[in-house]
Amino acid sequence: MSSFSSIFEFIRGLYPKSQDEMIPLHEPRFLGNEKLYLNECIDSGFVSSVGEFVDKFEQEIARFCGSKYAIATSNGTSALHAILHAVGVDRDCEVITQALSFIATSNAIAYTGAVPVYIDVDLDSLSLSPNALEEFLNNHAQKQDNQCINKHTGKIIKVCMPMHTFGHPARTEEIAKICKDWNILLIEDSAESLGSYYLKKGVKTHTGSEGIASAMSFNGNKTITCGGGGVIITDDEKLAKKLKHITTTAKVPHPYEYYHDMLGFNYRLPNLNAALALAQMEQLPVFLEKKLEVAKAYEDFCFKHGFEFVSARADTLPNFWLNAIKLPNKQKRDDFLTQSNAQGIMTRPIWMPNHQNPMYQHCQHDGLKNSLYLQDRIINLPSSVRIS
Ligand SMILES: Cc1ncc(COP(=O)(O)O)c(C=O)c1O
């Protein structure tokens, strides 16, 4: 018997399936008004770029996250790209981010012509470390004409973009202070953190509200999905207007003329996807409760059976989008991955840190000690909302 048989048995108990069916990492659940709203949308004829579902979904997201504005986009990557473009990130700039992320974080930076600079993560939040950020800036940056300049490349470090890994909130309050001191804009990659909060003195604050803007994803594997989709949240009215404009081809409203007053993108969310997204939003509170139950069950099991579960940091309430365990070394990680997947339990390692991919091998980084340590040890476990 493998040393992992107890946890495999436990996962099979959480997600009962017939012998030959795979237990997925994260399955979508369509348990509410999805079909009703989709039919309404089709019947209306407004399935594409305009329609009331887009407006309703944006209002609902803004309300849920406590942000003033929400702009729906075609996916999370386009949301990130649009924000970076809107704040003026270009080929003369660098963007500090974590290497330990899904590749879209780096890709969105590269689309602007800017270069990612990789900073290490914290071992507990798995997200960009303010200590590592401060150390990097003290060693490699200088303040010049209200800008932060990389002493080695001469480029402007314009933005810092932490990511809330697997829904665990990054230490953004501390990161924001450092960014302010160094004249760096803070943008949050909140693709994975819809429904993740900071808890401070009894007050719940949604992730993504510390930076000038934040992007989320509604890809098929996320806490809620609309097939493909994203959203930008911000409290900045001017930025919100610009983002709505550039994500909808920068067309100036006119009864018939096609006039576009700046470079724009076709990044809007189709009304059809928004219909699905709105129905999913209605179920989000229940999804979050059920995901918390799964996380607690994993946490209890791990505690009793000697596995290290990635728990919530103090003063945070993660959405536990993907639950994670930390194994003692790479050999154990690989054994776990091989055995679980062979037995029909879908598990995945954390991403290869982005700088290990060919497009980003040249990027400056700080050694990424924790990122490399976690790469060898972290595994995601099946985390779908359970149907009871
Ligand atoms: C951290 C992170 N950033 C960005 C994205 C991009 O989102 P999308 O797939 O909707 O483009 C994702 C997820 O897919 C993600 O996990």
Side-chain angles (χ1 to χ4, degrees), residues 243-254:
L243 284 164
K244 187 72 187 173
H245 192 53
I246 64 166
T247 53
T248 52
T249 70
K251 184 178 180 301
V252 176
H254 188 278

Side-chain angles (χ1 to χ4, degrees), residues 75-77 80 101-102 104-105 163 189 191-192 217-219 222 229:
N75 53 56
T77 314
L80 286 173
S101 182
F102 179 55
T105 311
M163 193 275 282
D189 182 344
E192 306 178 355
S217 164
F218 308 112
N219 183 32
K222 294 295 188 293

Side-chain angles (χ1 to χ4, degrees), residues 137-354:
L137 291 170
N138 285 334
N139 290 333
H140 302 286
Q142 65 192 35
K143 295 173 194 170
Q144 205 179 295
D145 304 328
N146 286 331
Q147 286 181 327
C148 176
I149 306 293
N150 185 324
K151 284 195 272 192
H152 302 279
T153 61
K155 290 195 178 217
I156 304 161
I157 302 176
K158 183 131 187 164
V159 166
C160 174
M161 194 158 80
M163 193 275 282
H164 306 283
T165 304
F166 306 144
H168 289 278
R171 288 159 63 195
T172 39
E173 203 180 355
E174 291 157 84
I175 294 172
K177 279 196 192 120
I178 299 166
C179 286
K180 192 161 177 236
D181 184 36
W182 283 89
N183 291 310
I184 297 173
L185 290 172
L186 175 61
I187 293 171
E188 296 175 57
D189 182 344
S190 309
E192 306 178 355
S193 73
L194 177 66
S196 293
Y197 295 90
Y198 299 96
L199 306 171
K200 235 176 132 190
K201 294 181 187 146
V203 180
K204 261 171 94 177
T205 313
H206 199 277
T207 44
S209 40
E210 197 75 55
I212 182 161
S214 155
M216 287 179 215
S217 164
F218 308 112
N219 183 32
N221 63 356
K222 294 295 188 293
T223 302
I224 65 160
T225 184
C226 56
V231 79
I232 300 164
I233 56 167
T234 180
D235 284 343
D236 185 313
E237 186 183 359
K238 207 166 141 213
L239 182 62
K241 280 192 178 141
K242 184 170 183 186
L243 284 164
K244 187 72 187 173
H245 192 53
I246 64 166
T247 53
T248 52
T249 70
K251 184 178 180 301
V252 176
H254 188 278
Y256 49 82
E257 286 296 357
Y258 292 99
Y259 177 62
H260 306 257
D261 61 355
M262 60 177 77
L263 177 65
F265 306 93
N266 182 12
Y267 281 174
R268 59 194 138 203
L269 182 73
N271 202 37
L272 201 59
N273 297 77
L276 197 55
L278 187 68
Q280 289 268 285
M281 276 305 283
E282 291 171 356
Q283 295 157 82
L284 180 58
V286 175
F287 285 0
L288 290 171
E289 262 172 45
K290 287 182 179 265
K291 288 181 72 66
L292 192 58
E293 279 168 24
V294 171
K296 290 260 174 268
Y298 272 131
E299 191 169 37
D300 285 354
F301 176 88
C302 289
F303 182 72
K304 287 182 193 137
H305 293 81
F307 289 96
E308 195 177 338
F309 181 74
V310 178
S311 300
R313 265 189 321 117
D315 302 330
T316 66
L317 177 60
N319 61 7
F320 289 103
W321 167 53
L322 289 184
N323 292 287
I325 53 168
K326 200 189 292 173
L327 288 161
N329 54 49
K330 186 170 186 307
Q331 185 60 55
K332 286 254 187 274
R333 182 203 85 150
D334 291 346
D335 290 347
F336 194 103
L337 287 167
T338 311
Q339 290 175 29
S340 53
N341 286 290
Q343 293 184 30
I345 299 172
M346 188 169 168
T347 59
R348 288 291 180 265
I350 201 165
W351 315 276
M352 257 190 205
N354 287 184

